[in-house]
């Protein structure tokens, strides 16, 4: 049985239980319009799969602001401040770190929040996507104080609101093989991760209310990655629902 058949089998199980498998899509590292980003915006338009675009505020270019005005379901999330590693050698990369004073880190985030909210208006959602999917506990605990209502990293969340007033909704399927080729991770690995999270949700092994998140990085997509996403987003199943981003992070 192919990985695609296994995915359909898992979705059939959701359907047999009268349930809908919710999913969402996040793409990271946006600063400007590129051919690779245009491909993703085309998928969003053609297949009606809403896109959460994590934008780096310090490097934001005018053309991205102008381009997103033309889209319907794209929403902007805050990808840290400058996507700059602040950790010493020997520690995993992290911008929202525990090395600097927490007030300094929060000051950067406040600056980024001001940039994105002023440039994108209500297309911007007050959600932090930490670069490298890492954030110190002290910084995360202070997010609500500056108007941040959401947080998105990677792997199944342990609880919906780990920090006061902040809803966490993560991604679970990374299509890039960061530790190997830095190209497409492969159909079996990508679909295997998706099936594993869906199955764990269905059986109550992880939070069943957390939608299954697909994580992409348009700037490093190769042809196989693009083809996989085309196949995934064009696949139809009555038990699979791609959520609009305000539905992933509902504030009211």
């Amino acid at each position: 049985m192919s990985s695609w058949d296994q995915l359909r089998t898992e979705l059939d199980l959701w359907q047999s239980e009268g349930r809908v498998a919710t999913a969402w899509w996040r793409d990271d590292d946006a600063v400007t319009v590129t051919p690779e980003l245009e491909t993703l915006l085309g998928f969003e338009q053609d297949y009606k799969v809403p896109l959460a675009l994590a934008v780096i505020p310090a490097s934001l270019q005018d053309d991205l602001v102008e381009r997103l005005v033309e889209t319907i379901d794209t929403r902007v999330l805050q990808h840290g401040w400058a996507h700059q590693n602040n950790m010493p050698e020997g520690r995993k990369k992290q911008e929202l770190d525990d090395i600097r004073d927490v007030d300094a880190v929060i000051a950067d985030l406040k600056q980024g929040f001001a940039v994105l909210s002023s440039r994108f208006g209500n297309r911007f959602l007050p959600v932090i996507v930490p670069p490298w999917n890492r954030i110190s506990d002290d910084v995360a605990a202070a997010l609500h104080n500056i108007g941040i209502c959401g947080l998105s990293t990677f792997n199944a969340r342990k609880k919906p609101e780990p920090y006061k007033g902040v809803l966490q909704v993560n991604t679970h399927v990374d299509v890039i093989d960061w530790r190997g080729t830095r190209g497409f991770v492969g159909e079996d690995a990508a679909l295997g991760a998706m099936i594993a999270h869906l199955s764990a949700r269905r059986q109550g092994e992880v939070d069943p209310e957390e939608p299954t998140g697909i994580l992409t990085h348009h700037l490093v997509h190769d042809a196989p990655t693009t083809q996989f996403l085309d196949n995934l987003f064009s696949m139809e199943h009555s038990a699979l629902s791609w959520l609009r981003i305000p539905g992933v992070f509902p504030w009211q």
Side-chain angles (χ1 to χ4, degrees):
M1 181 183 294
S2 74
S3 296
W4 292 103
D5 289 335
Q6 292 175 45
L7 176 58
R8 290 187 177 278
T9 296
E10 175 60 31
L11 292 172
D12 288 345
L13 291 172
W14 280 75
Q15 187 174 44
S16 69
E17 297 177 9
R19 301 167 65 186
V20 174
T22 50
W24 75 294
W25 175 23
R26 191 188 98 203
D27 182 83
D28 289 1
D29 299 346
V31 297
T32 190
V33 179
T34 66
E36 295 82 3
L37 181 59
E38 287 289 2
T39 296
L40 298 195
L41 294 176
F43 288 160
E44 178 182 54
Q45 178 178 329
D46 292 344
Y47 301 131
K48 304 300 184 291
V49 178
L51 172 63
L53 197 60
V55 174
I56 304 171
S59 303
L60 175 62
Q61 302 297 304
D62 290 343
D63 66 338
L64 183 61
V65 179
E66 296 162 0
R67 177 65 181 88
L68 294 191
V69 171
E70 303 170 6
T71 66
I72 297 175
D73 279 327
T74 310
R75 292 296 181 271
V76 171
L77 312 183
Q78 182 176 343
H79 202 25
W81 163 239
H83 210 299
Q84 175 179 317
N85 178 33
N86 294 311
M87 303 303 280
E89 186 175 352
R91 289 191 59 180
K92 292 181 178 180
K93 291 180 178 179
Q94 190 168 331
E95 179 178 54
L96 308 183
D97 58 277
D98 57 5
I99 298 297
R100 296 177 294 160
D101 183 84
V102 64
D103 290 338
V105 183
I106 290 297
D108 283 349
L109 292 180
K110 287 177 67 175
Q111 188 173 1
F113 185 101
V115 168
L116 297 182
S117 59
S118 65
R119 299 304 306 278
F120 292 105
N122 60 12
R123 190 176 291 275
F124 168 59
L125 300 183
V127 177
I128 289 294
V129 176
W132 298 287
N133 289 300
R134 301 184 186 107
I135 184 171
S136 76
D137 284 336
D138 287 346
V139 173
L143 293 178
H144 184 66
N145 297 335
I146 62 170
I148 299 296
C149 302
L151 173 66
S152 182
T153 60
F154 191 79
N155 285 324
R157 69 187 181 194
K158 291 181 170 56
K159 53 184 178 179
E161 192 176 302
Y163 307 99
K164 179 182 177 181
V166 177
L167 173 65
Q168 184 166 18
V169 185
N170 291 341
T171 54
H172 314 89
V173 182
D174 193 336
V175 300
I176 301 299
D177 178 17
W178 295 107
R179 297 180 180 179
T181 65
R182 298 182 71 84
F184 181 42
V185 72
E187 277 191 357
D188 289 347
L191 292 176
M194 186 173 182
I195 294 164
H197 188 250
L198 288 170
S199 176
R201 287 174 62 194
R202 181 174 51 80
Q203 299 181 75
E205 297 168 357
V206 297
D207 187 342
E209 300 304 315
E210 183 181 27
T212 299
I214 307 300
L215 175 59
T216 63
H217 286 77
H218 64 276
L219 291 175
V220 298
H221 288 182
D222 53 16
T225 308
T226 301
Q227 185 59 61
F228 170 77
L229 294 174
D230 195 348
N231 293 340
L232 177 63
F233 295 144
S234 63
M235 188 190 83
E236 296 182 358
H237 194 290
S238 57
L240 178 63
S241 175
W242 292 97
L243 297 178
R244 296 184 67 247
I245 309 309
V248 177
F249 294 97
W251 309 128
Q252 289 81 24

